[in-house]
Amino acid sequence: MGRAVAIMGTGQTHHGKRFDVSYPELVREAVQRAFEDSGLSPEDVDAVVTGTMPSMMEGIALNHLYLADAIQVVGKPLLKTETCGSTGMSVAHTAFYWVAAGLADVVLAVGFEKMYEGDSQATMTTVADPWIQRSFVAGAPGIFAMQSNMWIDRHHIPAERLREAAAVISLRNHDDAFDNPYAHIKARISLEEIKDSRIVTYPIRRWDVCPNSDGACAVLFMSEHKAKQMANPPAWIKGVGYRGDESYLGDSDKVRWNTAIDAAKEAYHQAGIVNPRRELDVAEVYNPFTFMELLLYECFGFCDFGEACDLALQGTFSRGGDLPCDPSGGVLCTNPIGATGLIRVAEAAMQVTGKAGAHQVDGAQLALAHAMGGVSQFNGIMIVGSQQ
Amino acid sequence: MTKEYRTLHTTVNLPYELAFGATLTRFFDGLSAEKILGTRCPKCSRVLVPARSFCPRCFIDLDDWVEVGQTGTVETWSLVSYEYIGMAKTPPYITGLIRLDGADVSFTHLIGGIDMSSIDQVQSRLAIGTRVKAVWATEKPGSIFDIEYFVPI
Ligand SMILES: [Zn+2]
């Protein structure tokens, strides 16, 4: 794993429709908060890593160049990494690699998106190849609805039980979002309203889907010797894993989804985790759709294949359960895509350093952060802990 | 009342001319002639559709062309009921992954020719495992819509 690396500060914008700020001002808001949280200043930073969804989301190509001033990059090397939904996790991994390799001591990772400024689904569809898949993927809901239907069929999940479990997941995320000051969607909805909401792409209903958000997130990664000079508690990177599939959706199995299974296994191996449900205290799973959250529990070994609905209904993944998931309200309530994976990392770091405020999981010491991306093609994991 | 801020309305309109290359050219020539073509990998023995010039797992060149069936089995599907700019088709429509007979991977296309007025109507004709067959368009210029859709048999 190279040198030990710690997260020493995080910053998020208030996510939502942010027409009160231009794109650079939005990014600056997150970066300033990360500096305030860490006690660092721009001159302490050796290098910067950034990421977004396709730049045409806001119609500005290579938008990290436009946003360089807001990131305070003057005099620093600047990288951009893009993997669609998993961009934020790729940004975190890239920053980690840089410090772990011994080539930098302090790296600023920033993810950002202003989804209210373009047509998000039309933009995302351009990620698919132009010959075959682009005409059929129907944005993110189309892809993940197909994957969800495969999962439902494979495990013979009865329709009513499935709808109940998905609604419980949706309600939990929406309720939890009220405890997160940065969350976008704050909606008091009932289980019945969720279950009866209109179908977007079967089996996905209105309240099974994440919003489009404007938002940014910044995280500071730091080498061991620098981190130990700081007064703040560090969140240590315990393990990372990242895997990719072929670009054609039909080329690989998306239920026993190897990129998710193997990315988690790799991270568990590095972190010395044998039983994730028992050993992890909290997980921030990339959950833009309720069904995908359930599918991913199984791929991450939080439960056996076919078990996720039953355990979700028992409260296993709620606060107070065996493994609380997405106490921030998750992607389901906040999704500025280029930032979203990095928000998972920031939230995991906040949990293990006791900084999560009203959505703090008591005594959390080991947390998993995850993001998925591509045309249902990539999965990345980062595990952080309070102990080195 | 919250303050209204100014916004700039703008569009980026860029034309492209994308090269198919030899392999996809032959694949789309096949569609024009009402044939669905794949290539077989000599190493993993999989028949890949659409045809590829190399195997994405074995990473070796492929030139063993095979015509696969125009019938297949639905691997998964989704009823699309929402709209965004630039969609290839106006909703509602059904998008699916179809394992064509003789292929070892699934092919994305539309499933049609059935009543889509409600999810119950759709589910009375369509499920994972349903057998479907290609319905060819009248005009076949060599695009993915040379196949209009796959219809449940
Ligand atoms: Zn092969």
Side-chain angles (χ1 to χ4, degrees):
Chain A
M1 279 194 56
R3 298 199 302 172
V5 180
I7 290 173
M8 286 305 304
T10 68
Q12 293 182 52
T13 56
H14 286 87
H15 311 297
K17 185 176 183 180
R18 293 296 308 274
F19 277 17
D20 59 317
V21 284
S22 69
Y23 205 174
E25 290 160 354
L26 180 80
V27 171
R28 178 177 158 81
E29 186 177 310
V31 170
Q32 291 286 78
R33 283 182 183 151
F35 283 128
E36 280 162 27
D37 183 46
S38 65
L40 294 172
S41 53
E43 50 269 29
D44 297 317
V45 172
D46 297 322
V48 180
V49 188
T50 64
T52 60
M53 270 290 277
S55 292
M56 61 186 101
M57 185 76 76
E58 301 87 7
I60 302 160
L62 300 176
N63 52 19
H64 59 307
L65 307 181
Y66 166 53
L67 299 168
D69 298 359
I71 308 163
Q72 313 202 38
V73 79
V74 178
K76 314 274 159 69
L78 170 65
L79 287 182
K80 188 178 190 191
T81 168
E82 294 185 334
T83 54
C84 214
S86 49
T87 288
M89 185 59 69
S90 297
V91 169
H93 279 210
T94 307
F96 165 77
Y97 301 150
W98 213 331
V99 179
L103 298 173
D105 282 320
V106 182
V107 176
L108 172 62
V110 197
F112 32 81
E113 208 80 66
K114 240 173 173 298
M115 296 179 70
Y116 274 97
E117 299 193 349
D119 186 310
S120 62
Q121 299 312 315
T123 302
M124 269 190 254
T125 301
T126 65
V127 174
D129 76 271
W131 323 105
I132 314 275
Q133 298 194 113
R134 193 177 294 176
S135 300
F136 308 119
V137 292
I143 296 164
F144 291 117
M146 286 199 283
Q147 189 167 2
S148 300
N149 269 336
M150 230 182 235
W151 170 75
I152 293 159
D153 180 75
R154 190 83 59 87
H155 298 325
H156 309 291
I157 305 168
E160 271 316 297
R161 190 155 188 78
L162 172 82
R163 209 158 142 193
E164 190 77 31
V168 163
I169 293 282
S170 175
L171 186 65
R172 191 203 72 212
N173 280 283
H174 284 93
D175 281 350
D176 284 350
F178 280 97
D179 288 335
N180 176 1
Y182 299 113
H184 176 184
I185 300 296
K186 307 223 171 169
R188 285 278 175 227
I189 36 174
S190 70
L191 212 53
E192 288 311 308
E193 279 175 277
I194 296 170
K195 283 164 70 176
D196 295 337
S197 58
R198 81 182 154 79
I199 296 171
V200 177
T201 47
Y202 184 83
I204 295 168
R205 289 169 185 270
R206 162 69 187 86
W207 291 109
D208 292 313
V209 189
C210 61
N212 291 323
S213 310
D214 296 344
C217 179
V219 176
L220 284 150
F221 290 80
M222 197 179 262
S223 64
E224 181 181 3
H225 73 271
K226 285 262 186 184
K228 286 186 170 165
Q229 295 164 16
M230 305 286 290
N232 305 336
W236 296 99
I237 313 298
K238 308 292 288 181
V240 295
Y242 204 100
R243 294 289 186 277
D245 269 341
E246 301 95 324
S247 78
Y248 282 118
L249 205 53
D251 275 15
S252 47
D253 187 6
K254 304 290 184 188
V255 176
R256 290 198 178 235
W257 195 11
N258 278 330
T259 63
I261 294 166
D262 293 344
K265 272 189 186 157
E266 174 68 31
Y268 294 156
H269 173 72
Q270 291 172 8
I273 292 171
V274 179
N275 182 334
R277 187 158 104 215
R278 201 166 54 218
E279 293 172 58
L280 291 168
D281 297 308
V282 56
E284 278 285 338
V285 176
Y286 193 95
N287 59 347
F289 301 92
T290 52
F291 301 102
M292 290 304 297
E293 183 174 334
L294 291 160
L295 182 156
L296 286 162
Y297 290 163
E298 298 176 354
C299 292
F300 296 159
F302 294 175
C303 58
D304 287 334
F305 284 94
E307 228 182 23
C309 283
D310 290 346
L311 293 189
L313 289 167
Q314 290 165 24
T316 302
F317 307 110
S318 305
R319 276 195 273 171
D322 276 1
L323 177 51
C325 287
D326 297 275
S328 63
V331 185
L332 207 61
C333 295
T334 306
N335 194 14
I337 299 191
T340 303
L342 195 58
I343 294 171
R344 309 275 72 70
V345 172
E347 288 287 343
M350 286 156 61
Q351 288 288 349
V352 301
T353 51
K355 287 179 174 179
H359 63 288
Q360 177 70 45
V361 172
D362 286 340
Q365 295 194 352
L366 197 60
L368 176 146
H370 159 255
M372 62 180 179
V375 181
S376 200
Q377 190 178 0
F378 296 110
N379 277 283
I381 301 278
M382 183 171 270
I383 293 169
V384 298
S386 58
Q387 305 298 318
Q388 192 176 350
Chain B
M1 213 179 90
T2 54
K3 182 164 167 47
E4 285 293 311
Y5 297 95
R6 286 178 190 274
T7 56
L8 173 70
H9 289 262
T10 179
T11 54
V12 179
N13 193 346
L14 298 169
Y16 297 93
E17 184 184 10
L18 305 175
F20 282 85
T23 301
L24 277 179
T25 295
R26 186 163 166 188
F27 172 77
F28 283 102
D29 285 351
L31 292 188
S32 287
E34 299 197 359
K35 292 178 194 301
I36 306 173
L37 300 177
T39 44
R40 189 194 316 269
C41 173
K43 196 167 172 195
C44 66
S45 306
R46 294 185 306 158
V47 172
L48 304 169
V49 180
R52 326 279 167 89
S53 58
F54 55 89
C55 176
R57 292 195 187 162
C58 309
F59 214 59
I60 56 175
D61 291 341
L62 307 183
D63 60 3
D64 180 12
W65 287 77
V66 285
E67 183 184 348
V68 298
Q70 300 191 5
T71 51
T73 306
V74 174
E75 289 267 296
T76 190
W77 59 275
S78 169
L79 175 66
V80 179
S81 320
Y82 82 114
E83 220 168 333
Y84 58 81
I85 291 168
M87 255 173 155
K89 229 179 136 57
T90 308
Y93 65 86
I94 298 165
T95 180
L97 281 176
I98 298 148
R99 183 66 56 99
L100 293 168
D101 298 338
D104 293 294
V105 293
S106 299
F107 186 63
T108 43
H109 215 288
L110 303 173
I111 296 162
I114 61 172
D115 183 353
M116 293 179 207
S117 57
S118 74
I119 188 65
D120 293 337
Q121 287 293 346
V122 169
Q123 284 182 308
S124 73
R125 292 293 311 279
L126 177 64
I128 291 175
T130 296
R131 297 283 297 162
V132 291
K133 73 163 197 268
V135 174
W136 295 94
T138 324
E139 297 287 309
K140 287 177 282 289
S143 96
I144 195 60
F145 290 111
D146 288 6
I147 300 171
E148 201 172 332
Y149 52 75
F150 286 80
V151 66
I153 302 169

